[in-house]
Amino acid sequence: MSGAEPESNANEKAEAIRWRVRLSDNAPQKTFVILAVGLLAFLVGAILFRNIVLGLVGFAIIFGSTAEFWLGSSFSIDEERATKRTGLSLSAIEWADVKRVSRDAGGIKLSPLQQAGTMDAFRGVYLRYGKDNRESIERAVLTFGKFSDNDVVDRIDGGGD
């Protein structure tokens, strides 16, 4: 054969990955609690304040703040960025902006902050692991972000965002 043989696997373009995580699949009974609290918020607004609009606002606040649980989130990692979408909310971070990578039992946090602090919970993107895809997510973060295993810090608090 000539010298025009294909390059090795290490030089091939890595493929983007996409996955979905819905926390209510692991605890469906909690969905009923959210529904009950949402209805209670509606009733408090509608009956106590005698205003249907306040009831609807209370209901919307409960369901909006728990959307990641009952609606789920879609994640993607590609050569440009890591992205998380929950309903209408979109969070993304470009690889050039990632200053710190930390992982816990539930996922990986990509942060634009050099050190953890009070603003850490409000910055960056938390990529939740799905069922049986932890290794592929970690490999994609290392590959696309051009990080090494030494760049990833294990979170000692163990909690996701």
Side-chain angles (χ1 to χ4, degrees):
M1 286 209 146
S2 68
E5 294 197 354
E7 300 272 327
S8 69
N9 287 344
N11 293 332
E12 286 183 11
K13 187 175 180 182
E15 253 185 68
I17 64 169
R18 290 170 180 33
W19 72 101
R20 183 168 173 73
V21 175
R22 196 167 86 174
L23 299 173
S24 63
D25 291 345
N26 296 331
Q29 68 279 6
K30 292 181 181 179
T31 305
F32 296 111
V33 174
I34 293 171
L35 178 61
V37 172
L39 290 174
L40 180 64
F42 173 78
L43 291 174
V44 167
I47 295 172
L48 187 63
F49 295 108
R50 297 179 187 175
N51 190 335
I52 296 291
V53 174
L54 283 179
L56 291 174
V57 168
F59 184 82
I61 288 172
I62 297 299
F63 271 76
S65 63
T66 58
E68 184 178 7
F69 179 81
W70 59 269
L71 186 60
S73 297
S74 298
F75 301 90
S76 68
I77 300 174
D78 58 33
E79 60 189 27
E80 296 175 22
R81 69 183 68 86
T83 306
K84 172 187 176 185
R85 178 179 290 280
T86 302
L88 298 175
S89 173
L90 175 67
S91 300
I93 189 166
E94 306 272 332
W95 294 116
D97 296 333
V98 176
K99 304 287 189 271
R100 188 167 38 86
V101 179
S102 56
R103 70 177 156 215
D104 59 30
I108 296 179
K109 173 75 178 230
L110 305 174
S111 178
L113 304 175
Q114 193 70 32
Q115 296 180 356
T118 56
M119 296 303 292
D120 207 29
F122 306 104
R123 302 284 190 259
V125 176
Y126 185 74
L127 304 171
R128 287 193 186 278
Y129 298 133
K131 291 184 179 180
D132 303 326
N133 68 348
R134 179 181 181 136
E135 293 82 21
S136 62
I137 292 169
E138 289 179 356
R139 186 173 43 253
V141 167
L142 294 175
T143 302
F144 288 122
K146 296 178 178 54
F147 300 113
S148 70
D149 283 332
N150 296 334
D151 294 325
V152 180
V153 177
D154 289 322
R155 287 175 57 159
I156 52 175
D157 62 1
D161 293 333

